[in-house]
């Protein structure tokens, strides 16, 4: 991963040298020498990184190089900070009276010279270990590994499953025949065989939904406790169950399930101690055909959990045809799953044969080859795969290791980020992308929006099948994800080998925040670059004062995510200390209680790129200094119920790409930001508006959005709105014509806005309308002069008065691929069952459900 560390540093160094700060210029010669050496080394660092696993001496050399790069990065950051301080108080007479710290400058210059000398020596050492052939490789690099991916959106449909249809049919048959007691079903087999996939297919099947009144999915994992499992069961039933003991938790579970037919999936069970399950199962209601499905790698686990041999299913490996089919769907996803180059088919089948029918291995290899288009690349992969297989006892790990080795440097850092999260943790894409941007993992090219580039990095990992999709939005956009337990084994191993993450906290650069963390884990490590909240869904971090006080000691911290946390010490005191972390680029206080205001000390965080304050229900006002954060690209104040407006001058944040929860000031709120200031945010890609009063939009401000040419995603929420005059203002608030996705929530009018038509919004691809009074679509919605929408995804939710005919929708939206509708009783003509209640999804080419 040293190649990834070098890539991130060079990206930052090049950008800093362009800025030409005074302090940086004083050491320009040393920095440029460092830059040249590292650029020369990039061509062979990937090979050295791979070979260090077999050579302890080379491993030590690469570790020294990594630490020197990190130190250089710290020196560069300090120089940047000093240059900015000089600019803020640049007076010639002050410099005459108070000259720069000459001793500090001398020491910095001396240390940079030492670093350069050591790196030159390291380069020679690495080249000697790699052999003389490396000299012929100088300057040559695998271009396919360094360029941005060929696809900036998912090209492989993760819902596609190959060869497991008979398995799911068998399990469903057993479920349908359940009658007395609790039916226990076991799915057992080696890692990567598809056990969890089979259980998911059964769990999410419509027939299963209809049969069982309650369904619970529990990820058990290796490190679990009985109470945690019961809390997880209750969360799936909609109960937070904070503070209850085991007895109370079990009593609640019984109450929720009493008289109901239920299905519980216990996924990935390892414990051979069946007592925990005995205690839980004894408290469950019996009868009604209720069932439990258990997935595990160990037959002994099933017997301890009283699963009979007759109800134990062991999936077979995929046969040759299904193995090749699965591989084709992934490796050739760009051409619809068809191999268009005959020379690749033969070598592809050779590679697939080595995967031994294991779906996880096939997907990992296929995802990697998706990004390789030439025969010589495939041949090299086949040879490397053969070498990896020779050193391992199984098939899955070699495929995963090879997939990691072939990642571009910038994606290796992104991939290792998953090492911080606990087993089976569901992670939001947003948190990952913000982290990657904040720490500089995302390479920026030609002024490309950082949020867009970060999302492409995420796509690169999902397309390579290293990251599993958990939840998608109505338009198939990935919202949450997780990693397979075998992928997690690899990612933790690689993270520890590269000092990215270490369970003890010693010497690593990244660490996860959770309730169980020990202050000693922070006390021994001031090298940290990122502290991330890694709590699981529905859980909250409880952080002691002794730990919170340590945060500010991590001088070079870039990323601090404290979301979903409760602190023993006053939050204002903690935030005052955080103000000393001047290198901080990403700060998340989302759902952190009780956040009431931001203290003056945070004004010094001038490097902030991302600030997330969402779900801070007690936050009443934002300080005026927020408008000084010129580097800010993401500001999220969504779901802050007490926040009345944002500070005046927000329009000066010209680099903003994402602004969520924007509440314009009313005419009487003179210190607030008016909607007109949005005109200045020319880089805005995503905007969330919360409009309540008609005077939040002045007559001269109705054109505030129309010229935002970069805006692609717009949400307008009118939750808790007042007065009918707001509808008139909304009818004139035209969005930009290049908009790709529009979401209207709690729209107060009976008639849709006149601008919601295929001519004004000819680029619109996705439309989501949720809640509110909407009953009739404006006549312009259905087009004029044979104009038609280009909409591909449509969602109607909780619109009790809306009337619309399915035939008309199909006529005006010929490109429609997916429709999601629920709680819309008047959309009876839509080919979706129960559209007036929980509803469902229609997909083009499929029957509605």
């Amino acid at each position: 991963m040293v190649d990834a560390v070098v890539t991130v540093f060079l990206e930052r160094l090049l950008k800093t040298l362009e800025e030409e700060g005074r302090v940086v210029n004083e050491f320009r010669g040393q920095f440029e020498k460092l830059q040249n050496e590292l650029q020369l080394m990039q061509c062979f660092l990937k090979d050295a990184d791979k070979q260090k696993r077999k050579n302890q001496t080379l491993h030590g050399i690469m570790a020294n190089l990594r630490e020197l790069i990190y130190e250089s990065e710290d020196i560069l950051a300090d120089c940047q900070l000093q240059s900015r301080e000089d600019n803020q108080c640049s007076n010639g007479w002050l410099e005459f009276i108070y000259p720069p710290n000459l001793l500090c400058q001398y020491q910095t210059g001396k240390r940079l010279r030492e670093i350069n000398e050591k790196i030159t020596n390291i380069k020679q050492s690495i080249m000697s270990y790699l052999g003389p052939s490396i000299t012929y490789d100088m300057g040559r690099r695998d271009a396919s590994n360094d360029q941005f991916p060929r696809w900036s959106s998912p090209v492989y449909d993760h819902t596609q499953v190959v060869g497991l249809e008979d398995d799911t049919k068998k399990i469903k048959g057993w479920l349908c025949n359940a009658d007395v007691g609790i039916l226990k079903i076991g799915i057992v087999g080696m890692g990567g065989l598809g056990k969890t996939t089979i259980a998911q297919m059964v769990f999410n099947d419509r027939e299963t939904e209809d049969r069982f009144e309650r369904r619970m999915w529990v990820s058990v994992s290796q490190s679990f406790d009985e109470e945690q499992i019961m809390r997880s069961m209750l969360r799936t039933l909609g109960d937070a169950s904070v503070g209850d003991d085991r007895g109370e938790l079990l009593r609640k579970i019984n109450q929720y399930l009493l008289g109901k037919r239920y299905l519980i999936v216990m996924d990935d069970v390892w414990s051979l101690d069946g007592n925990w399950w005995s205690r839980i199962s004894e408290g469950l209601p019996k009868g009604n055909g209720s069932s439990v499905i258990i997935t595990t790698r160990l037959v002994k686990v099933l017997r301890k959990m009283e699963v009979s041999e007759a109800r134990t299913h062991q999936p077979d490996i995929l046969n040759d045809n299904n193995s090749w089919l699965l591989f084709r769907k992934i490796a050739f996803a760009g051409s619809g799953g068809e191999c268009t180059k005959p020379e690749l088919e033969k070598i592809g089948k050779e590679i697939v044969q080595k995967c031994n029918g294991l779906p996880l291995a096939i997907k990992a290899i296929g995802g990697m080859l998706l990004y390789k288009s030439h025969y010589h690349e495939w041949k090299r992969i086949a040879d490397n795969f053969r070498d990896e297989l020779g050193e391992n006892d199984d098939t899955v790990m070699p495929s995963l290791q090879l997939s990691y080795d072939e990642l571009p440097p910038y994606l290796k850092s992104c991939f290792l980020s998953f090492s911080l999260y606990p087993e089976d943790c569901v992670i939001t894409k947003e948190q990952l992308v913000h982290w990657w941007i904040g720490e500089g993992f995302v390479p920026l090219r030609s002024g490309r929006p950082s949020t867009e580039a970060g999302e492409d990095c995420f796509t690169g990992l999902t397309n390579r099948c290293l990251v599993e999709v958990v939840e998608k939005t109505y338009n198939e956009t990935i919202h949450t994800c997780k990693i397979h337990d075998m992928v997690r084994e690899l990612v933790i191993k690689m993270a520890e080998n590269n000092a990215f993450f270490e369970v003890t906290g010693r010497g690593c650069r990244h660490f996860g925040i959770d309730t169980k963390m020990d202050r000693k884990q922070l006390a021994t490590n001031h090298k940290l670059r990122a502290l991330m909240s890694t709590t699981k869904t529905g859980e909250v971090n409880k952080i002691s004062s002794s730990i919170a006080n340590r945060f500010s000691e991590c001088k070079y911290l870039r990323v601090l995510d404290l979301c979903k946390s409760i602190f023993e010490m006053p939050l204002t005191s903690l935030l005052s200390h955080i103000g000393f972390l001047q290198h901080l680029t990403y700060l998340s206080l989302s759902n952190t209680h009780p956040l009431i205001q931001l203290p003056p000390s945070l004004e010094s965080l001038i490097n902030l790129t991302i600030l997330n304050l969402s779900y801070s229900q007690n936050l009443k006002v934002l300080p005026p200094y927020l408008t000084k954060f010129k580097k800010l690209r993401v500001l999220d104040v969504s779901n802050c119920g007490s926040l009345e407006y944002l500070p005046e001058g927000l329009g000066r944040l010209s680099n903003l790409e994402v602004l969520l929860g924007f509440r314009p000031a009313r005419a009487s709120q003179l210190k607030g930001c008016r909607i007109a200031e949005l005109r200045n945010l020319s880089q805005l890609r995503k905007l969330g508006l919360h409009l309540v009063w008609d005077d939040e939009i002045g007559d001269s401000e109705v054109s505030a959005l129309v010229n935002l040419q970069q805006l692609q995603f717009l949400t307008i929420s009118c939750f808790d709105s007042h007065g009918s005059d707001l509808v008139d203002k909304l009818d004139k608030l035209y969005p930009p014509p290049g908009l790709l996705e529009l979401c209207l929530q709690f729209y107060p009018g009976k008639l849709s806005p006149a601008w919601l038509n295929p001519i004004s919004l000819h680029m619109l691809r996705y439309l989501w309308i949720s809640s509110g009074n909407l009953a009739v679509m404006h006549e312009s919605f259905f087009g004029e002069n044979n104009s038609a929408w280009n909409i591909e995804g449509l969602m109607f939710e909780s619109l009790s008065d809306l009337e619309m005919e399915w035939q008309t929708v199909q006529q005006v939206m010929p490109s429609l691929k997916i429709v999601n509708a629920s709680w819309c009783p008047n959309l009876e003509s839509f080919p979706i069952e129960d559209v007036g209640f929980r509803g469902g999804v229609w997909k083009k080419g499929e029957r509605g459900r």
Side-chain angles (χ1 to χ4, degrees):
M1 186 214 158
V2 178
D3 54 342
V5 176
V6 168
T7 299
V8 170
F9 172 66
L10 283 176
E11 185 92 17
R12 183 169 283 127
L13 179 58
L14 288 168
K15 185 177 180 182
T16 305
L17 291 175
E18 288 174 2
E19 293 175 356
E20 296 190 342
R22 180 189 67 80
V23 180
V24 175
N25 278 335
E26 287 180 3
F27 308 111
R28 176 174 288 273
Q30 292 297 326
F31 279 127
E32 288 180 343
K33 182 180 179 181
L34 182 58
Q35 173 190 333
N36 294 334
E37 286 283 30
L38 293 176
Q39 285 175 333
L40 284 171
M41 293 173 71
Q42 275 186 304
C43 64
F44 56 77
L45 281 178
K46 177 183 171 183
D47 290 333
D49 225 21
K50 181 179 178 181
Q51 292 193 30
K52 76 180 184 184
R53 296 201 301 269
K54 309 170 189 175
N55 188 311
Q56 283 301 310
T57 304
L58 187 56
H59 186 282
I61 292 172
M62 295 292 280
N64 290 336
L65 175 60
R66 181 189 64 235
E67 294 306 308
L68 288 171
I69 301 303
Y70 277 131
E71 185 180 352
S72 302
E73 195 173 36
D74 292 341
I75 292 173
L76 182 66
D78 285 337
C79 289
Q80 283 181 285
L81 199 62
Q82 187 60 50
S83 292
R84 289 195 189 93
E85 289 175 359
D86 286 355
N87 291 335
Q88 288 174 356
C89 49
S90 57
N91 276 306
W93 64 273
L94 278 175
E95 286 189 13
F96 180 76
I97 297 173
Y98 303 106
N101 189 329
L102 298 179
L103 178 60
C104 181
Q105 288 183 12
Y106 170 76
Q107 291 174 337
T108 300
K110 180 183 177 185
R111 185 55 188 151
L112 281 174
R113 286 191 294 273
E114 291 171 350
I115 289 173
N116 270 317
E117 289 174 9
K118 289 182 178 181
I119 286 179
T120 300
N121 293 334
I122 285 175
K123 182 182 74 173
Q124 297 302 323
S125 298
I126 294 175
M127 290 172 66
S128 67
Y129 273 99
L130 294 180
S133 61
I134 195 68
T135 57
Y136 298 104
D137 253 1
M138 295 294 284
R140 182 189 66 80
R141 302 178 65 190
D142 188 349
S144 66
N145 263 357
D146 289 332
Q147 65 186 11
F148 256 107
R150 289 182 285 168
W151 299 281
S152 57
S153 59
V155 292
Y156 168 63
D157 183 359
H158 294 263
T159 62
Q160 293 185 77
V161 176
V162 173
L164 301 179
E165 295 80 9
D166 290 341
D167 302 84
T168 56
K169 185 177 180 181
K170 180 179 180 180
I171 302 296
K172 285 170 60 181
W174 286 347
L175 291 176
C176 290
N177 292 324
D179 45 20
V180 297
I182 300 176
L183 173 66
K184 300 182 182 71
I185 296 173
I187 306 176
V188 64
M190 69 180 79
L193 192 58
K195 302 181 297 297
T196 298
T197 303
I198 294 169
Q200 286 173 335
M201 290 174 67
V202 173
F203 187 82
N204 294 321
D205 187 84
R206 187 60 180 242
E207 291 179 12
T208 305
E209 288 184 31
D210 293 339
R211 177 172 176 78
F212 294 99
E213 298 162 273
R214 296 282 188 270
R215 292 177 304 137
M216 290 160 282
W217 183 285
V218 182
S219 296
V220 181
S221 70
Q222 295 187 55
S223 55
F224 77 97
D225 63 57
E226 192 176 326
E227 186 175 313
Q228 190 179 41
I229 286 178
M230 287 190 281
R231 291 188 190 281
S232 181
M233 292 173 69
L234 280 169
R235 277 197 297 273
T236 63
L237 296 170
D239 190 322
S241 65
V242 177
D244 295 329
D245 60 23
R246 289 184 186 183
E248 180 63 19
L249 291 171
L250 196 54
R251 188 188 65 80
K252 280 188 174 183
I253 292 171
N254 185 285
Q255 284 183 334
Y256 277 112
L257 301 181
L258 195 62
K260 304 286 194 305
R261 181 186 291 154
Y262 58 85
L263 171 65
I264 303 173
V265 174
M266 291 285 176
D267 184 43
D268 197 23
V269 182
W270 286 80
S271 176
L272 291 172
D273 174 14
N275 292 330
W276 66 272
W277 172 244
S278 297
R279 286 188 289 270
I280 291 176
S281 60
E282 284 172 7
L284 298 175
K286 308 298 187 292
N288 295 329
S290 296
S291 305
V292 177
I293 298 175
I294 299 137
T295 72
T296 180
R297 296 189 198 180
L298 307 171
V299 175
K300 288 182 180 179
V301 168
L302 297 182
R303 300 299 170 259
K304 287 285 185 180
M305 297 180 71
E306 301 176 332
V307 179
S308 68
E309 190 173 344
R311 289 296 178 264
T312 297
H313 175 64
Q314 182 167 355
D316 291 326
I317 58 174
L318 297 181
N319 61 35
D320 290 346
N321 289 335
N322 281 331
S323 294
W324 176 242
L325 176 60
L326 178 60
F327 177 81
R328 280 197 295 110
K329 284 178 175 289
I330 300 170
F332 304 113
S335 55
E338 296 298 326
C339 178
T340 57
K341 296 181 178 180
E343 70 272 16
L344 298 184
E345 182 168 341
K346 181 180 178 182
I347 195 168
K349 286 185 175 179
E350 290 176 8
I351 292 171
V352 171
Q353 192 174 24
K354 293 182 176 71
C355 293
N356 293 332
L358 291 170
L360 183 58
I362 295 169
K363 290 166 71 175
I365 289 289
M368 172 179 47
L369 290 171
L370 173 64
Y371 287 86
K372 313 289 182 184
S373 56
H374 302 294
Y375 175 82
H376 76 272
E377 293 177 304
W378 281 53
K379 181 68 167 62
R380 179 176 58 80
I381 296 297
D383 293 341
N384 290 345
F385 192 25
R386 192 181 303 113
D387 293 342
E388 289 289 345
L389 284 171
E391 299 172 14
N392 288 270
D393 296 329
D394 62 21
T395 302
V396 176
M397 272 305 171
S399 66
L400 296 176
Q401 182 67 65
L402 190 55
S403 189
Y404 170 79
D405 290 339
E406 289 295 320
L407 286 175
Y410 64 90
L411 278 188
K412 285 183 178 177
S413 299
C414 298
F415 180 58
L416 293 191
S417 304
F418 289 88
S419 62
L420 271 69
Y421 294 90
E423 198 172 358
D424 295 311
C425 184
V426 175
I427 312 161
T428 64
K429 178 180 75 172
E430 180 185 81
Q431 187 189 42
L432 290 167
V433 169
H434 287 176
W435 173 6
W436 300 342
I437 293 170
E439 203 169 344
F441 293 164
V442 178
L444 304 179
R445 298 285 184 270
S446 306
R448 197 156 180 258
S450 59
T451 48
E452 183 180 295
E455 287 164 8
D456 284 354
C457 289
F458 183 84
T459 298
L461 294 176
T462 55
N463 278 346
R464 286 175 171 85
C465 300
L466 291 172
V467 174
E468 296 180 359
V469 177
V470 174
E471 183 183 1
K472 290 184 178 182
T473 61
Y474 75 100
N475 60 5
E476 300 295 295
T477 299
I478 299 171
H479 176 58
T480 58
C481 65
K482 61 185 290 189
I483 56 174
H484 192 279
D485 57 343
M486 296 193 74
V487 176
R488 187 169 181 269
E489 287 178 32
L490 172 74
V491 80
I492 288 178
K493 175 185 171 185
M494 291 295 101
E496 290 177 344
N497 286 345
N498 291 281
F500 188 95
F501 165 73
E502 169 63 52
V503 176
T504 63
R506 289 193 188 94
C508 62
R509 291 311 197 284
H510 312 86
F511 204 73
I513 299 173
D514 61 30
T515 302
K516 298 177 183 177
M517 70 186 299
D518 190 324
R519 68 186 185 91
K520 294 178 182 177
Q521 294 171 315
L522 290 180
T524 57
N525 188 359
H526 293 163
K527 297 179 178 180
L528 286 171
R529 291 289 200 281
L531 273 170
M532 296 291 300
S533 173
T534 55
T535 181
K536 288 188 174 182
T537 305
E539 295 180 1
V540 175
N541 294 323
K542 296 177 182 177
I543 310 299
S544 67
S545 299
S546 61
I547 290 175
N549 281 324
R550 296 280 182 183
F551 294 164
S552 59
E553 296 176 8
C554 304
K555 178 182 176 183
Y556 291 104
L557 207 62
R558 265 71 164 180
V559 170
L560 182 58
D561 188 321
L562 302 175
C563 71
K564 294 185 287 186
S565 298
I566 298 174
F567 295 91
E568 191 177 74
M569 67 187 298
L571 192 55
T572 51
S573 177
L574 170 62
L575 293 178
S576 296
H577 289 108
I578 289 174
F580 294 110
L581 301 174
Q582 296 191 42
H583 296 300
L584 213 59
T585 55
Y586 165 37
L587 176 62
S588 175
L589 301 172
S590 174
N591 218 344
T592 302
H593 298 287
L595 182 61
I596 299 173
Q597 62 181 8
L598 300 182
S601 61
L602 295 190
E603 185 173 1
S604 61
L605 302 182
I606 56 174
N607 286 312
L608 271 188
T609 301
I610 297 168
L611 179 59
N612 187 352
L613 305 172
S614 60
Y615 294 94
S616 300
Q617 295 294 344
N618 298 313
L619 184 64
K620 297 181 178 180
V621 65
L622 289 176
Y625 64 68
L626 191 72
T627 62
K628 296 180 182 179
F629 294 165
K630 303 297 184 182
K631 294 187 176 184
L632 209 59
R633 295 180 183 272
V634 177
L635 176 59
D636 188 351
V637 289
S638 57
N639 298 291
C640 295
S642 302
L643 189 64
E644 294 186 3
Y645 57 84
L646 275 70
E648 183 184 14
L650 200 75
R652 293 196 290 269
L653 302 179
S654 57
N655 287 312
L656 265 185
E657 298 172 12
V658 176
L659 175 57
L660 302 179
F662 179 75
R663 180 84 181 267
R666 300 184 65 185
S668 59
Q669 295 167 332
L670 302 180
K671 294 183 180 180
C673 178
R674 296 287 295 177
I675 197 170
E677 288 199 51
L678 296 181
R679 292 189 181 113
N680 302 322
L681 304 180
S682 59
Q683 302 302 312
L684 213 56
R685 290 182 65 237
K686 191 172 186 178
L687 174 63
L689 285 176
H690 185 193
L691 301 170
V692 177
W693 301 95
D694 68 292
D695 64 347
E696 292 173 342
I697 309 172
D699 292 334
S700 62
E701 296 176 314
V702 291
S703 62
L705 308 180
V706 73
N707 292 319
L708 295 177
Q709 296 182 11
Q710 302 299 319
L711 193 64
Q712 297 179 9
F713 311 96
L714 174 63
T715 297
I716 299 176
S717 172
C718 300
F719 177 72
D720 200 26
S721 60
H722 305 277
S724 58
D725 292 340
L726 178 61
V727 176
D728 296 332
K729 293 289 180 67
L730 288 170
D731 202 43
K732 300 173 185 176
L733 190 68
Y734 273 69
L739 202 66
L740 293 181
E741 182 176 347
L742 173 66
C743 176
L744 291 178
Q745 297 176 339
F746 301 97
Y747 187 74
K750 291 282 187 182
L751 185 67
S752 67
W755 46 257
L756 187 56
N757 66 73
I759 297 176
S760 299
L761 298 176
H762 61 278
M763 297 288 288
L764 198 68
R765 292 294 182 272
Y766 303 102
L767 175 63
W768 177 10
I769 304 178
S770 172
S771 303
N773 302 325
L774 191 63
V776 180
M777 305 308 287
H778 193 281
E779 61 181 1
S780 64
F781 179 86
F782 301 101
E784 299 174 4
N785 302 321
N786 296 320
S787 61
W789 286 100
N790 288 312
I791 287 177
E792 298 175 5
L794 186 65
M795 182 166 182
F796 291 136
E797 184 180 40
S798 301
L799 299 167
S800 56
D801 299 328
L802 180 64
E803 296 184 3
M804 195 181 297
E805 291 297 319
W806 175 245
Q807 186 176 358
T808 307
V809 172
Q810 287 187 301
Q811 289 174 353
V812 298
M813 298 180 183
S815 302
L816 200 60
K817 296 178 180 177
I818 185 167
V819 177
N820 195 315
S822 59
W823 306 104
C824 299
N826 294 325
L827 301 184
E828 297 172 343
S829 62
F830 279 48
I832 295 174
E833 294 180 18
D834 296 327
V835 70
F837 298 96
R838 62 176 180 170
V841 179
W842 170 88
K843 289 186 179 181
K844 191 173 184 178
E846 297 181 9
R847 290 181 60 192
R849 70 184 187 99

